Amino acid sequence: GESVGLHLPTLSVQEGDNSIINCAYSNSASDYFIWYKQESGKGPQFIIDIRSNMDKRQGQRVTVLLNKTVKHLSLQIAATQPGDSAVYFCAERQNRDDKIIFGKGTRLHILP
Amino acid sequence: DSGVTQTPKHLITATGQRVTLRCSPRSGDLSVYWYQQSLDQGLQFLIQYYNGEERAKGNILERFSAQQFPDLHSELNLSSLELGDSALYFCASSEGGYFTDTQYFGPGTRLTVL
């Protein structure tokens, strides 16, 4: 598959451990946030979203935390599996113009 | 498989040329979005169409244009190509017309400009 973002920061996590991927967003007026997963050679895949009136949302094995005070978003993946190996990036919707701005991404590497 | 298809998968062309990328959305989805993903710029939103009409515009160059046809498939036209246009181009679709609607991405078209 093709690699995207060869110079992305990398997080290496032992299989079975929890992963925490962080994202700093840019606009305090952003009201909607999304985490995407992109596996090598594939398009981005929606994981979970959260609106600005919430500070936590849980999905299957994933939790997103939103700290509006410091404009920080995190994605927690429980019991990381080899299939979680991918690039993860956050996106924010700037409600002023209803457009999505994507972060640069973090590569998650699973150690056996 | 997201249900979104894109053709071609790879495209190699020369500077100054024009190319057309094609996208077929998931069945039932009315919105199509185009994105550019490059190593230095990351993923950038280019343009959105909803039910045949332009809905939102992002960082799309004037040399680029898009349209959505009555059968809801979309084409992205890139002209006067430059080396810096080399990137992955993704199409996504959603049922509704808002960015809060879940978007499903296609596999992308890899454009190489030589």
Side-chain angles (χ1 to χ4, degrees), chain A residues 2-6 32 34 36 38 41-46 49 51 89 93 97-104, chain B residues 10 35 37 39-45 56-58 88 90 97-103 105-107 110:
Chain A
E2 296 147 349
S3 295
V4 174
L6 295 176
Y32 176 68
I34 313 167
Y36 286 96
Q38 187 174 17
K42 297 184 178 180
Q45 178 186 359
F46 172 91
D49 59 0
R51 293 184 185 270
F89 49 91
R93 183 184 80 155
D97 51 15
D98 195 33
K99 290 174 188 168
I100 294 283
I101 306 296
F102 291 84
K104 296 295 185 187
Chain B
H10 298 280
Y35 295 90
Q37 188 173 41
L39 286 176
D40 56 346
Q41 293 291 324
L43 194 64
Q44 290 197 88
F45 166 69
K57 212 169 204 179
L88 273 166
F90 288 104
Y98 299 98
F99 277 102
T100 49
D101 297 315
T102 300
Q103 294 183 31
F105 283 75
R110 164 74 73 181

Side-chain angles (χ1 to χ4, degrees), chain B residues 13-31:
Chain B
T13 188
T15 55
Q17 295 298 305
R18 173 190 168 95
V19 297
T20 297
L21 312 183
R22 183 187 168 102
C23 168
S24 292
R26 292 188 326 152
S27 177
D29 284 357
L30 298 180
S31 268

Side-chain angles (χ1 to χ4, degrees), chain B residues 66-85:
Chain B
Q67 55 183 329
Q68 186 179 28
F69 295 87
D71 67 352
L72 300 176
H73 92 271
S74 178
E75 292 181 355
L76 179 68
N77 301 296
L78 313 177
S79 62
S80 302
L81 285 168
E82 302 175 359
L83 295 177
D85 298 328

